[in-house]
Amino acid sequence: MTDNRIIPIVMPKWGLSMKEGKVTGWLVEDGKEINVGEAILEIETDKIAGAVESTDAGVLRRRVGAADTTYPVKALLGVIADKSVPDSEIETYVASYVTPAAEEDGEDAAPAYENVDAGGGSLRYAKRGSGDETVILIHGFGGDLDNWLFNIDAIAENATVYALDLPGHGQSGKAIANPSVEGLARTVLAFMDALKVEKAHLVGHSLGGAIAMQVAKAAPARVQSMTLIASAGLGAEINMDYISGFVGAASRKELKPVLEMLFADPGQVSRQMTEDILKFKRLDGVDAALKSLADGVFKGGKQQALLGPGSVRAVAIWGRDDRILPAAHAANAGSARVEIIDGAGHMVQMEQASRVNALIKENIAKG
């Protein structure tokens, strides 16, 4: 299995807890010339449905994974190789491929999640990688650290990455002492203190972007760069139909169309995603936390905290089809580099993960 001319396409590991995924269909045929970043097949997990993008260029010589079939992480789904590689060698490679056992994967040896007391409550977080640069991923309103399923491992290839559940979200404590952008920024700084992180690159999605900008405003020396993804804090407008719909939804029928607003392709919203969010919303304290945060941050149907990246180097990334926060807000990002990405909505970091990951890594690499 050491022939460098043959490149395996394997079941990806999207997120810390993923063990398997179902191939729902191929997007390319055998013999197709594949480019880096090209979507080649679609996968459905218990969290989300999405497309697998090729990390290598070459010819798709063999599709191995069958549609409507579930495979473990790292199972062989296909093979990319140059046309000069004989079919017999491709067949030998496929026949001899052995899916690594889960216990052989060093990533599985460490706890998937940890908890720390910070900002007056318990915060759940995930840590990946061990690079010299430190990155903190901050999710948005109603989200959790799983919003970074398609990003955390890619960013952790050359950085130490932390993704946290904000207060009132995920599996962190449900009390929000100060339900405002300023209050949540203090929590992020307390999180950094608790983990002895002196300075970091902040990556914020939606409300998380506004929090990142507030952290930079309060403690600029502790922020090396910012990546603002569909960021709040850059304009007053906000789709309150989404906010009120998310807060008020009490059934799958009510919640699913609300979640579909997040994506350019509503098919990304799986039944399991909807069920998982409903389970979260039914936890004690969640309803009060979300209502208090919505009232504090979006009082009167407008964003209350209007910020900007200031002097911190920043990239502003938006999905062109964002229905929650308009992409036009990117024009208010000051000196930040702006990237508007086609084929994506509010969850651009999921729908166009390869492009977003490349922009984040490029920004981090500048030091």
Side-chain angles (χ1 to χ4, degrees), residues 3-99:
D3 192 336
N4 293 329
R5 300 174 303 160
I6 300 176
I7 302 166
I9 302 167
V10 302
M11 177 63 70
K13 185 176 177 65
W14 287 340
L16 304 173
S17 59
M18 179 177 168
K19 301 298 181 185
E20 62 183 20
K22 183 172 76 173
V23 175
T24 57
W26 283 86
L27 303 175
V28 292
E29 301 290 333
D30 286 352
K32 171 76 162 54
E33 188 78 34
I34 303 298
N35 298 313
V36 173
E38 182 174 353
I40 52 178
L41 75 160
E42 294 180 326
I43 298 293
E44 184 178 281
T45 76
D46 62 353
K47 297 291 185 184
I48 193 170
V52 175
E53 298 176 346
S54 180
T55 57
D56 297 275
V59 178
L60 179 61
R61 296 292 300 275
R62 192 80 77 248
R63 292 176 296 174
V64 177
D68 297 320
T69 304
T70 298
Y71 298 93
V73 166
K74 296 189 178 179
L76 185 67
L77 301 180
V79 173
I80 293 174
D82 188 78
K83 294 179 180 178
S84 63
V85 179
D87 285 343
S88 59
E89 294 186 22
I90 300 294
E91 291 165 4
T92 298
Y93 183 91
V94 171
S96 61
Y97 184 91
V98 177
T99 302

XYZ file of all heavy atoms in Angstrom, residues 3-99:
732
model
N 2.345 2.575 -2.950
C 2.489 3.102 -4.303
C 1.982 4.539 -4.336
O 0.773 4.799 -4.273
C 1.686 2.236 -5.280
C 2.023 2.566 -6.733
O 2.484 3.694 -6.995
O 1.819 1.695 -7.600
N 2.913 5.499 -4.432
C 2.546 6.909 -4.390
C 1.824 7.374 -5.649
O 1.298 8.490 -5.693
C 3.792 7.769 -4.171
C 4.398 7.562 -2.805
O 3.684 7.270 -1.845
N 5.712 7.697 -2.709
N 1.805 6.527 -6.682
C 1.081 6.885 -7.907
C -0.421 6.710 -7.747
O -1.195 7.240 -8.521
C 1.570 6.026 -9.070
C 3.057 6.161 -9.405
C 3.423 5.146 -10.465
N 3.103 3.786 -10.026
C 2.954 2.740 -10.832
N 3.092 2.900 -12.138
N 2.670 1.547 -10.351
N -0.818 5.942 -6.735
C -2.223 5.633 -6.510
C -2.682 6.360 -5.245
O -2.113 6.189 -4.172
C -2.435 4.111 -6.374
C -1.985 3.411 -7.665
C -3.893 3.799 -6.055
C -2.068 1.897 -7.600
N -3.720 7.172 -5.387
C -4.211 7.999 -4.287
C -5.586 7.508 -3.863
O -6.520 7.493 -4.672
C -4.297 9.477 -4.704
C -2.919 9.973 -5.148
C -4.847 10.340 -3.568
C -2.962 11.299 -5.881
N -5.755 7.090 -2.611
C -7.058 6.598 -2.171
C -8.019 7.739 -1.835
O -7.608 8.779 -1.318
C -6.722 5.797 -0.910
C -5.515 6.498 -0.357
C -4.732 6.973 -1.559
N -9.281 7.540 -2.144
C -10.360 8.396 -1.646
C -11.021 7.601 -0.530
O -11.504 6.489 -0.762
C -11.398 8.708 -2.742
C -10.738 9.383 -3.944
C -12.522 9.572 -2.187
C -11.638 9.436 -5.178
N -11.001 8.126 0.679
C -11.506 7.367 1.815
C -12.672 8.098 2.481
O -12.871 9.302 2.284
C -10.395 7.102 2.848
C -9.235 6.352 2.211
C -9.905 8.407 3.485
N -13.426 7.352 3.266
C -14.506 7.969 4.030
C -13.886 8.985 4.993
O -13.052 8.642 5.815
C -15.280 6.901 4.827
C -16.383 7.474 5.711
S -17.710 8.314 4.798
C -18.508 6.909 3.980
N -14.272 10.262 4.869
C -13.665 11.289 5.711
C -14.148 11.193 7.147
O -15.163 10.554 7.442
C -14.143 12.594 5.066
C -15.466 12.230 4.457
C -15.299 10.805 3.966
N -13.394 11.839 8.037
C -13.816 11.948 9.435
C -14.270 13.383 9.655
O -13.455 14.290 9.841
C -12.679 11.588 10.388
C -13.092 11.565 11.866
C -11.931 11.109 12.729
C -12.282 11.137 14.210
N -13.340 10.175 14.572
N -15.564 13.599 9.602
C -16.138 14.926 9.786
C -16.532 15.076 11.247
O -17.565 14.580 11.675
C -17.359 15.117 8.900
C -17.060 15.282 7.450
C -15.874 15.647 6.892
C -17.968 15.089 6.354
N -15.984 15.696 5.526
C -17.257 15.372 5.172
C -19.304 14.726 6.276
C -17.844 15.278 3.913
C -19.885 14.644 5.028
C -19.165 14.916 3.862
N -15.671 15.691 12.023
C -15.987 15.896 13.429
C -15.371 14.834 14.311
O -14.860 13.808 13.866
N -15.434 15.103 15.607
C -14.703 14.294 16.567
C -15.354 12.948 16.852
O -14.683 12.012 17.271
C -14.564 15.085 17.875
C -13.900 16.456 17.719
C -13.952 17.225 19.024
C -12.474 16.310 17.246
N -16.654 12.833 16.638
C -17.349 11.613 17.033
C -17.765 10.737 15.856
O -18.337 9.677 16.054
C -18.596 11.967 17.863
O -19.466 12.798 17.122
N -17.483 11.167 14.636
C -17.923 10.410 13.468
C -17.188 9.079 13.371
O -15.958 9.013 13.437
C -17.689 11.224 12.189
C -18.098 10.483 10.921
S -17.879 11.517 9.449
C -18.077 10.293 8.146
N -17.951 8.013 13.210
C -17.400 6.671 13.047
C -17.684 6.075 11.678
O -16.952 5.202 11.209
C -17.967 5.736 14.133
C -17.692 6.173 15.553
C -16.204 6.225 15.850
C -15.946 6.646 17.294
N -14.485 6.810 17.563
N -18.750 6.541 11.020
C -19.138 5.996 9.733
C -19.964 7.006 8.958
O -20.423 8.016 9.513
C -19.939 4.698 9.918
C -21.247 4.898 10.676
C -22.001 3.606 10.932
O -21.374 2.523 10.867
O -23.218 3.676 11.195
N -20.137 6.743 7.675
C -20.953 7.603 6.830
C -21.544 6.785 5.696
O -21.032 5.719 5.334
N -22.624 7.306 5.123
C -23.287 6.611 4.019
C -23.036 7.350 2.713
O -23.229 8.567 2.626
C -24.792 6.512 4.271
C -25.532 5.736 3.175
C -26.986 5.491 3.539
C -27.822 6.728 3.385
N -29.264 6.459 3.566
N -22.585 6.614 1.710
C -22.444 7.180 0.367
C -23.844 7.322 -0.221
O -24.568 6.336 -0.374
C -21.584 6.274 -0.533
C -21.549 6.821 -1.952
C -20.172 6.144 0.018
N -24.227 8.558 -0.527
C -25.549 8.770 -1.119
C -25.492 8.880 -2.637
O -26.518 8.752 -3.304
C -26.223 10.028 -0.530
O -25.370 11.152 -0.731
C -26.470 9.847 0.958
N -24.298 9.090 -3.186
C -24.171 9.125 -4.637
C -22.861 9.725 -5.090
O -22.248 10.525 -4.372
N -22.412 9.323 -6.269
C -21.206 9.883 -6.881
C -21.593 11.047 -7.795
O -22.643 11.018 -8.439
C -20.469 8.814 -7.683
C -19.694 7.866 -6.819
C -20.155 6.732 -6.216
C -18.320 7.995 -6.433
N -19.160 6.137 -5.479
C -18.010 6.885 -5.598
C -17.318 8.920 -6.713
C -16.748 6.695 -5.046
C -16.058 8.728 -6.172
C -15.781 7.633 -5.351
N -20.718 12.032 -7.851
C -20.937 13.204 -8.695
C -20.091 13.170 -9.962
O -20.251 14.021 -10.833
C -20.625 14.477 -7.904
C -21.430 14.652 -6.609
C -20.941 15.871 -5.854
C -22.918 14.762 -6.911
N -19.186 12.181 -10.054
C -18.306 12.047 -11.224
C -18.237 10.574 -11.628
O -18.474 9.683 -10.814
C -16.879 12.580 -10.928
C -16.896 14.082 -10.746
C -16.290 11.916 -9.694
N -17.892 10.347 -12.887
C -17.801 8.991 -13.429
C -16.353 8.524 -13.470
O -15.418 9.334 -13.458
C -18.387 8.967 -14.853
C -19.845 9.394 -14.943
C -20.785 8.384 -14.342
O -20.418 7.180 -14.318
O -21.878 8.781 -13.895
N -16.168 7.205 -13.536
C -14.831 6.657 -13.740
C -14.216 7.244 -15.009
O -14.903 7.414 -16.027
C -14.894 5.134 -13.885
C -15.160 4.424 -12.561
O -15.141 5.102 -11.520
O -15.393 3.201 -12.588
N -12.929 7.557 -14.948
C -12.235 8.123 -16.086
C -12.228 9.633 -16.123
O -11.580 10.237 -16.983
N -12.937 10.267 -15.182
C -13.016 11.732 -15.143
C -11.729 12.317 -14.569
O -11.175 11.828 -13.601
C -14.209 12.154 -14.270
C -14.303 13.634 -13.965
C -14.815 14.429 -15.130
C -15.321 15.822 -14.703
N -14.379 16.628 -13.943
N -11.235 13.395 -15.199
C -10.083 14.135 -14.679
C -10.569 14.981 -13.503
O -11.466 15.819 -13.650
C -9.497 15.035 -15.764
C -8.190 15.695 -15.385
C -6.995 14.770 -15.496
O -6.981 13.905 -16.406
O -6.068 14.930 -14.673
N -9.976 14.772 -12.339
C -10.419 15.426 -11.104
C -9.457 16.552 -10.742
O -8.230 16.385 -10.810
C -10.473 14.412 -9.940
C -11.381 13.232 -10.282
C -10.947 15.098 -8.656
C -12.809 13.587 -10.526
N -10.004 17.678 -10.338
C -9.204 18.800 -9.864
C -9.260 18.890 -8.342
O -10.229 18.449 -7.721
C -9.712 20.116 -10.462
C -9.614 20.135 -11.978
O -8.584 19.785 -12.547
N -10.702 20.539 -12.635
N -8.229 19.491 -7.756
C -8.222 19.706 -6.311
C -9.407 20.587 -5.924
O -9.686 21.598 -6.560
C -6.901 20.368 -5.858
C -6.961 20.739 -4.375
C -5.723 19.454 -6.128
N -10.152 20.150 -4.896
C -11.300 20.910 -4.432
C -12.597 20.582 -5.136
O -13.653 21.102 -4.768
N -12.550 19.708 -6.142
C -13.764 19.351 -6.872
C -14.615 18.377 -6.053
O -14.104 17.421 -5.469
C -13.403 18.718 -8.213
C -14.592 18.357 -9.078
C -14.179 17.870 -10.452
O -12.979 17.941 -10.777
O -15.067 17.411 -11.197
N -15.916 18.618 -5.996
C -16.828 17.716 -5.304
C -16.961 16.430 -6.105
O -17.273 16.462 -7.302
C -18.188 18.379 -5.118
N -16.711 15.290 -5.449
C -16.685 14.033 -6.191
C -17.750 13.029 -5.749
O -18.174 12.192 -6.541
C -15.286 13.378 -6.123
C -14.795 13.265 -4.679
C -14.298 14.155 -6.969
C -13.439 12.586 -4.544
N -18.191 13.085 -4.501
C -19.284 12.227 -4.058
C -19.955 12.847 -2.849
O -19.400 13.742 -2.201
C -18.818 10.803 -3.733
C -18.044 10.553 -2.430
C -18.119 9.072 -2.076
C -16.587 10.951 -2.541
N -21.160 12.388 -2.567
C -21.931 12.922 -1.452
C -22.037 11.884 -0.347
O -22.236 10.698 -0.605
C -23.317 13.360 -1.922
C -23.253 14.549 -2.876
C -24.618 14.994 -3.363
O -25.502 14.113 -3.526
O -24.803 16.209 -3.590
N -21.895 12.383 0.879
C -21.891 11.535 2.075
C -22.954 12.057 3.035
O -23.160 13.262 3.161
C -20.515 11.588 2.772
C -19.406 11.061 1.857
C -20.539 10.813 4.089
C -19.485 9.604 1.554
N -23.588 11.143 3.730
C -24.517 11.516 4.792
C -24.066 10.872 6.090
O -23.787 9.669 6.138
C -25.938 11.060 4.451
C -26.986 11.481 5.458
C -28.380 11.043 5.039
O -28.972 11.720 4.184
O -28.853 10.006 5.552
N -23.965 11.680 7.150
C -23.615 11.166 8.471
C -24.799 11.387 9.398
O -25.839 11.903 8.996
C -22.378 11.888 9.040
O -22.756 13.190 9.503
C -21.291 12.026 7.981
N -24.638 11.011 10.667
C -25.722 11.249 11.614
C -25.831 12.718 11.991
O -26.756 13.114 12.701
C -25.550 10.386 12.869
C -24.278 10.689 13.637
O -23.447 11.477 13.137
O -24.115 10.150 14.739
N -24.900 13.545 11.484
C -24.927 14.979 11.779
C -25.375 15.810 10.586
O -26.138 16.762 10.729
C -23.533 15.450 12.213
C -23.015 14.813 13.496
C -23.786 15.281 14.709
C -23.176 14.716 15.985
N -23.977 15.082 17.176
N -24.871 15.466 9.399
C -25.099 16.335 8.248
C -24.826 15.580 6.958
O -24.103 14.575 6.953
C -24.184 17.582 8.323
C -24.627 18.654 7.325
C -22.730 17.203 8.135
C -23.934 19.978 7.510
N -25.411 16.066 5.887
C -25.096 15.559 4.555
C -24.182 16.568 3.876
O -24.317 17.769 4.067
C -26.369 15.370 3.748
N -23.227 16.077 3.103
C -22.314 16.995 2.438
C -21.530 16.308 1.344
O -21.582 15.087 1.182
N -20.811 17.109 0.572
C -20.008 16.592 -0.533
C -18.563 16.421 -0.101
O -18.022 17.249 0.644
C -20.086 17.529 -1.735
N -17.935 15.348 -0.559
C -16.507 15.127 -0.352
C -15.761 15.783 -1.495
O -16.046 15.516 -2.670
C -16.177 13.623 -0.302
C -14.666 13.411 -0.210
C -16.870 12.961 0.876
N -14.827 16.655 -1.165
C -14.041 17.352 -2.176
C -12.664 16.702 -2.284
O -12.051 16.351 -1.276
C -13.901 18.831 -1.810
C -15.248 19.549 -1.758
C -15.126 20.984 -1.295
O -14.051 21.351 -0.764
O -16.095 21.749 -1.451
N -12.173 16.547 -3.489
C -10.895 15.894 -3.706
C -9.744 16.755 -3.192
O -9.707 17.962 -3.422
C -10.685 15.607 -5.190
O -9.433 14.965 -5.399
N -8.820 16.131 -2.499
C -7.623 16.826 -2.024
C -6.454 16.655 -2.989
O -5.383 17.218 -2.769
C -7.213 16.303 -0.637
O -7.008 14.887 -0.710
C -8.298 16.586 0.397
N -6.679 15.874 -4.043
C -5.620 15.625 -5.020
C -6.194 15.709 -6.432
O -7.396 15.549 -6.649
C -5.003 14.234 -4.805
C -4.326 14.109 -3.460
O -3.150 14.495 -3.362
O -4.982 13.641 -2.511
N -5.303 15.957 -7.379
C -5.698 15.990 -8.789
C -5.285 14.681 -9.466
O -4.312 14.044 -9.074
C -5.048 17.170 -9.492
N -6.048 14.291 -10.477
C -5.734 13.070 -11.209
C -6.986 12.515 -11.852
O -8.026 13.170 -11.903
N -6.889 11.288 -12.300
C -8.017 10.627 -12.964
C -8.712 9.699 -11.973
O -8.059 8.926 -11.271
C -7.535 9.821 -14.183
C -8.702 9.086 -14.841
C -6.848 10.736 -15.190
N -10.033 9.797 -11.905
C -10.782 8.856 -11.080
C -10.784 7.504 -11.794
O -11.507 7.307 -12.772
C -12.213 9.356 -10.861
C -13.108 8.441 -10.031
C -12.554 8.261 -8.632
C -14.538 8.979 -9.977
N -9.968 6.600 -11.302
C -9.802 5.308 -11.979
C -10.819 4.268 -11.528
O -11.154 3.355 -12.289
C -8.376 4.795 -11.724
C -7.285 5.672 -12.325
C -7.324 5.618 -13.839
N -7.132 4.259 -14.309
C -5.930 3.704 -14.488
N -4.824 4.412 -14.273
N -5.830 2.461 -14.919
N -11.270 4.385 -10.272
C -12.212 3.369 -9.803
C -13.091 3.927 -8.688
O -12.600 4.471 -7.715
C -11.462 2.145 -9.280
C -12.330 0.931 -9.029
C -12.627 0.187 -10.319
N -11.477 -0.616 -10.737
C -10.749 -0.350 -11.828
N -11.020 0.718 -12.574
N -9.740 -1.126 -12.176
N -14.398 3.789 -8.855
C -15.332 4.068 -7.772
C -15.570 2.764 -7.016
O -16.015 1.772 -7.605
C -16.646 4.623 -8.314
C -16.522 6.014 -8.925
C -17.828 6.467 -9.540
N -18.210 5.603 -10.659
C -19.369 5.686 -11.314
N -20.262 6.590 -10.948
N -19.626 4.877 -12.316
N -15.254 2.766 -5.729
C -15.369 1.558 -4.915
C -16.607 1.612 -4.026
O -17.336 0.630 -3.896
C -14.101 1.363 -4.054
C -14.235 0.139 -3.153
C -12.864 1.248 -4.944
N -16.848 2.758 -3.426
C -17.999 2.910 -2.545
C -19.304 2.908 -3.339
O -19.431 3.607 -4.340
N -20.263 2.122 -2.886
C -21.544 2.005 -3.574
C -22.573 2.934 -2.947
O -22.576 3.167 -1.734
C -22.043 0.564 -3.503
N -23.458 3.473 -3.761
C -24.508 4.353 -3.268
C -25.409 3.621 -2.289
O -25.610 2.399 -2.385
C -25.327 4.893 -4.437
N -25.915 4.384 -1.317
C -26.825 3.860 -0.290
C -26.161 2.790 0.579
O -26.834 1.894 1.108
C -28.112 3.302 -0.911
C -28.907 4.378 -1.623
O -28.987 5.500 -1.098
O -29.445 4.099 -2.715
N -24.840 2.888 0.721
C -24.087 1.935 1.529
C -23.296 2.693 2.582
O -22.705 3.735 2.295
C -23.135 1.102 0.652
O -23.891 0.464 -0.381
C -22.413 0.050 1.477
N -23.267 2.159 3.793
C -22.563 2.785 4.910
C -21.180 2.157 5.074
O -21.035 0.929 5.015
C -23.381 2.630 6.208
O -24.642 3.302 6.044
C -22.644 3.238 7.397
N -20.182 3.023 5.285
C -18.800 2.577 5.441
C -18.183 3.236 6.665
O -18.538 4.370 7.021
C -17.973 2.965 4.215
C -18.428 2.333 2.927
C -19.329 2.984 2.093
C -17.953 1.084 2.533
C -19.757 2.411 0.904
C -18.372 0.506 1.342
C -19.274 1.173 0.536
O -19.689 0.587 -0.637
N -17.212 2.566 7.299
C -16.523 3.191 8.433
C -15.565 4.281 7.955
O -15.175 4.311 6.775
C -15.754 2.023 9.061
C -15.529 1.066 7.936
C -16.762 1.181 7.072
N -15.203 5.169 8.857
C -14.211 6.195 8.557
C -12.930 5.543 8.042
O -12.490 4.516 8.545
C -13.926 7.043 9.814
C -12.675 7.886 9.638
C -15.127 7.936 10.129
N -12.358 6.106 6.996
C -11.120 5.672 6.340
C -11.293 4.448 5.444
O -10.314 3.932 4.889
C -9.985 5.457 7.340
C -9.581 6.744 8.050
C -8.338 6.581 8.879
C -7.943 7.918 9.538
N -6.751 7.797 10.370
N -12.528 3.973 5.264
C -12.763 2.907 4.292
C -12.494 3.439 2.891
O -12.713 4.612 2.598
C -14.186 2.390 4.400
N -12.040 2.587 2.004
C -11.724 2.984 0.639
C -13.008 3.201 -0.152
O -13.842 2.293 -0.268
C -10.867 1.913 -0.040
C -10.360 2.264 -1.449
C -9.365 3.419 -1.394
C -9.718 1.034 -2.099
N -13.157 4.397 -0.724
C -14.336 4.717 -1.525
C -14.018 4.842 -3.004
O -14.906 4.702 -3.848
C -14.962 6.025 -1.028
C -15.405 6.064 0.431
C -16.005 7.419 0.754
C -16.391 4.948 0.742
N -12.763 5.118 -3.318
C -12.385 5.282 -4.713
C -10.885 5.419 -4.839
O -10.158 5.484 -3.848
N -10.424 5.472 -6.088
C -8.988 5.539 -6.361
C -8.718 6.566 -7.456
O -9.379 6.567 -8.504
C -8.440 4.164 -6.804
C -6.987 4.279 -7.245
C -8.557 3.147 -5.674
N -7.768 7.441 -7.204
C -7.283 8.398 -8.190
C -5.872 7.986 -8.600
O -5.046 7.674 -7.743
C -7.264 9.834 -7.615
C -8.685 10.323 -7.349
C -6.532 10.795 -8.548
C -8.747 11.673 -6.653
N -5.601 7.979 -9.883
C -4.261 7.659 -10.381
C -4.129 8.171 -11.804
O -5.121 8.400 -12.501
C -4.008 6.152 -10.332
N -2.893 8.330 -12.244
C -2.639 8.736 -13.621
C -3.067 7.626 -14.581
O -3.101 6.438 -14.214
C -1.144 9.037 -13.799
C -0.843 9.646 -15.157
O -1.103 10.849 -15.331
O -0.367 8.907 -16.048
N -3.369 8.025 -15.808
C -3.790 7.043 -16.814
C -2.718 6.004 -17.115
O -3.021 4.912 -17.607
C -4.178 7.766 -18.106
C -5.416 8.647 -17.982
C -5.720 9.359 -19.297
C -6.949 10.249 -19.188
N -7.234 10.983 -20.455
N -1.455 6.346 -16.817
C -0.358 5.425 -17.119
C -0.302 4.231 -16.177
O 0.362 3.230 -16.474
C 0.977 6.179 -17.051
O 1.223 6.668 -15.738
N -0.984 4.315 -15.040
C -0.977 3.190 -14.096
C -1.883 2.088 -14.642
O -3.067 2.329 -14.908
C -1.468 3.645 -12.697
C -1.489 2.461 -11.737
C -0.582 4.762 -12.157
N -1.369 0.881 -14.816
C -2.168 -0.205 -15.389
C -3.391 -0.547 -14.546
O -3.361 -0.428 -13.306
C -1.191 -1.394 -15.437
C 0.173 -0.769 -15.391
C 0.027 0.474 -14.560
N -4.460 -0.982 -15.206
C -5.668 -1.395 -14.491
C -5.377 -2.504 -13.493
O -5.979 -2.562 -12.413
C -6.733 -1.889 -15.485
C -7.405 -0.743 -16.226
O -7.290 0.409 -15.756
O -8.046 -1.004 -17.261
N -4.447 -3.387 -13.835
C -4.130 -4.511 -12.938
C -3.584 -4.015 -11.602
O -3.873 -4.595 -10.543
C -3.110 -5.441 -13.606
O -1.912 -4.734 -13.907
N -2.818 -2.931 -11.636
C -2.275 -2.384 -10.388
C -3.366 -1.701 -9.571
O -3.352 -1.748 -8.332
C -1.134 -1.419 -10.698
C 0.081 -2.094 -11.307
C 1.267 -1.140 -11.470
O 1.303 -0.113 -10.753
O 2.131 -1.434 -12.311
N -4.307 -1.070 -10.252
C -5.443 -0.476 -9.550
C -6.243 -1.568 -8.854
O -6.615 -1.446 -7.674
C -6.355 0.306 -10.520
C -5.587 1.447 -11.205
C -7.582 0.826 -9.790
C -5.131 2.548 -10.287
N -6.492 -2.640 -9.564
C -7.272 -3.736 -8.998
C -6.566 -4.373 -7.811
O -7.193 -4.714 -6.801
C -7.544 -4.781 -10.082
C -8.502 -4.275 -11.159
C -8.508 -5.129 -12.408
O -7.812 -6.168 -12.408
O -9.194 -4.752 -13.382
N -5.240 -4.516 -7.908
C -4.473 -5.075 -6.796
C -4.532 -4.162 -5.578
O -4.685 -4.615 -4.438
C -3.001 -5.280 -7.219
O -2.950 -6.217 -8.294
C -2.167 -5.796 -6.054
N -4.440 -2.854 -5.834
C -4.492 -1.886 -4.742
C -5.844 -1.977 -4.020
O -5.899 -2.048 -2.789
C -4.288 -0.467 -5.274
C -4.264 0.606 -4.216
C -3.078 1.013 -3.622
C -5.450 1.213 -3.781
C -3.050 1.993 -2.642
C -5.446 2.188 -2.795
C -4.242 2.575 -2.238
O -4.246 3.530 -1.250
N -6.928 -1.992 -4.794
C -8.262 -2.046 -4.200
C -8.441 -3.337 -3.408
O -8.958 -3.334 -2.282
C -9.344 -1.918 -5.292
C -10.731 -2.196 -4.713
C -9.298 -0.538 -5.931
N -8.002 -4.448 -3.977
C -8.185 -5.748 -3.325
C -7.389 -5.876 -2.041
O -7.802 -6.567 -1.095
C -7.790 -6.866 -4.296
N -6.244 -5.202 -1.974
C -5.372 -5.352 -0.804
C -5.562 -4.264 0.243
O -4.963 -4.321 1.319
C -3.905 -5.355 -1.254
O -3.566 -4.135 -1.895
N -6.436 -3.280 -0.058
C -6.639 -2.183 0.894
C -7.313 -2.703 2.163
O -8.301 -3.434 2.106
C -7.488 -1.075 0.275
C -7.648 0.133 1.177
C -6.751 1.189 1.115
C -8.678 0.206 2.101
C -6.878 2.297 1.949
C -8.820 1.309 2.945
C -7.921 2.342 2.864
O -8.037 3.426 3.690
N -6.764 -2.316 3.302
C -7.334 -2.691 4.596
C -7.721 -1.420 5.341
O -6.882 -0.538 5.573
C -6.331 -3.510 5.443
C -6.933 -3.828 6.809
C -5.931 -4.784 4.714
N -8.977 -1.310 5.713
C -9.432 -0.134 6.467
C -8.807 -0.146 7.847
O -8.921 -1.153 8.564
C -10.968 -0.142 6.611
O -11.553 -0.158 5.309
C -11.442 1.075 7.379
